[in-house]
Amino acid sequence: MPELPEVEHARRSLERWAVGRAVAAAAVPPSRLLGAASPASLRRWLTGRRIESAARRGKHLLVGFEQATALHVHLGMSGCFAYTRDEAVSARWSRLPIGGPRLSLALDDGGTVALFDPRMFGRLDAGAWADLAARFFDPLGPDAWLEPLTGRHLTALLRGVGRPVKVALMDQSRVAGLGNIQVAEALWLARIHPERPGAALTRADASRLARAIRATLASTLADLEAGGGYLQDAGSENPFSVYGREGERCRRCRLAAIRRTVLAGRATYFCPRCQPVPR
DNA sequence: AAGTCTGTTAGGAT
DNA sequence: TATCCTAACAGACT
């Protein structure tokens, strides 16, 4: 589930838990997140290092350490951070037979920060801040939350784009941070059909869309900050307006049923009445 | 209970 | 260059 709001929530959490602390001990089991890097060398790299900052662009995190170094984290499809000050809890985490932490940092104040990622689509890299920023931040488009997106801004970003606006918005090099859920929600709020060609949006469409993006990001982020947990945990209520609501009546017009189609291989939800078909 | 679905994205084919 | 599709994985759900 990690899209911009979840990653921003993770960033803020790391700021509260870890910034200003040093790593007393690190556990780095072998996992796909490391790529070619060796677990032992990352463990050595982390040990004793002081955490100074936590930055985000799009869905990428850079945890800043002393001497202008950083740990790059991408949460992939199922990544999340957890924190405890209870040694019994961190010990239980490390003993999990499957799905245990891909990274666990015991901090010098007794806290433990762990990174979970059952599906292992995430990624970890350590190195010089500047190198990691160049690799992972620079290719991204403007951050959908930090750069106040305006209609004018969005129009410029979508100029000459023939493919569906939904697909274009999920292209991280165009706008960074939006994923399948946030895009579905924003297009529904702005009453724009997901298949409208990007360049076909009018000035009014673009300005509604810009506001809608901010609104849906703000709403999801507020939910996360309030609950402190993760949305769509098993058994929890679907907090979204259209995402995952195929067949239900639209919560705005109350007339049409939400439809689900597939666009660029991804599930796409919209209200056929509020979001009229492009012609 | 086998088969289908899933929040991401790199990389390859067209 | 632009666009589309698949693979990578584990677990929840039907």
Side-chain angles (χ1 to χ4, degrees):
Chain A
M1 47 183 314
E3 299 184 31
L4 189 153
E6 288 80 6
V7 182
E8 175 62 16
H9 179 60
R11 190 195 70 75
R12 295 180 187 182
S13 301
L14 290 173
E15 227 163 40
R16 289 191 297 268
W17 301 332
V19 167
R21 307 264 52 96
V23 176
V28 187
S31 82
R32 274 170 29 87
L33 305 215
L34 305 181
S38 101
S41 67
L42 180 56
R43 186 177 55 72
R44 280 195 302 274
W45 189 92
L46 287 162
T47 304
R49 216 170 268 260
R50 186 167 299 278
I51 300 166
E52 291 185 341
S53 61
R56 179 193 61 76
R57 179 150 171 185
K59 303 170 191 171
H60 293 259
L61 282 171
L62 281 186
V63 181
F65 287 81
E66 54 195 310
Q67 294 165 353
T69 58
L71 182 71
H72 164 253
V73 184
H74 192 289
L75 297 175
M77 200 90 122
S78 60
C80 70
F81 284 100
Y83 178 76
T84 184
R85 302 187 60 84
D86 183 339
E87 274 185 34
V89 172
S90 52
R92 194 180 320 138
W93 285 346
S94 61
R95 281 198 309 267
L96 285 172
I98 53 164
R102 308 302 177 190
L103 173 73
S104 182
L105 303 178
L107 305 177
D108 61 358
D109 64 350
T112 296
V113 171
L115 171 67
F116 292 87
D117 183 10
R119 290 177 73 178
M120 288 191 289
F121 286 120
R123 144 159 217 170
L124 286 171
D125 307 85
W129 171 288
D131 293 345
L132 294 167
R135 272 168 75 196
F136 298 107
F137 279 6
D138 289 359
L140 299 174
D143 185 89
W145 179 249
L146 296 179
E147 314 268 342
L149 282 187
T150 63
R152 172 182 300 239
H153 206 161
L154 223 40
T155 303
L157 290 168
L158 294 172
R159 185 158 297 142
V161 170
R163 54 186 182 158
V165 60
K166 190 228 181 189
V167 178
L169 289 176
M170 289 178 63
D171 177 347
Q172 302 299 299
S173 66
R174 203 170 289 277
V175 184
L178 303 178
N180 207 30
I181 294 178
Q182 295 298 316
V183 163
E185 296 294 294
L187 289 171
W188 178 82
L189 273 179
R191 304 172 186 255
I192 294 169
H193 194 288
E195 290 182 47
R196 288 268 296 282
L201 266 59
T202 64
R203 178 176 292 268
D205 290 330
S207 100
R208 284 202 318 283
L209 182 54
R211 276 198 300 275
I213 288 171
R214 291 200 65 77
T216 185
L217 292 175
S219 159
T220 307
L221 187 54
D223 283 354
L224 289 167
E225 295 281 319
Y230 281 78
L231 302 179
Q232 295 213 180
D233 283 341
S236 73
E237 185 91 353
N238 176 358
F240 302 109
S241 296
V242 271
Y243 179 82
R245 296 195 181 278
E246 181 185 17
E248 296 180 29
R249 266 196 313 171
C250 171
R251 295 160 103 81
R252 177 172 47 208
C253 72
R254 305 245 161 233
L255 293 170
I258 300 302
R259 292 197 41 205
R260 177 188 187 275
T261 56
V262 174
L263 224 45
R266 311 297 305 279
T268 301
Y269 300 89
F270 65 99
C271 169
R273 188 162 185 277
C274 297
Q275 298 163 266
V277 188
R279 32 156 247 100

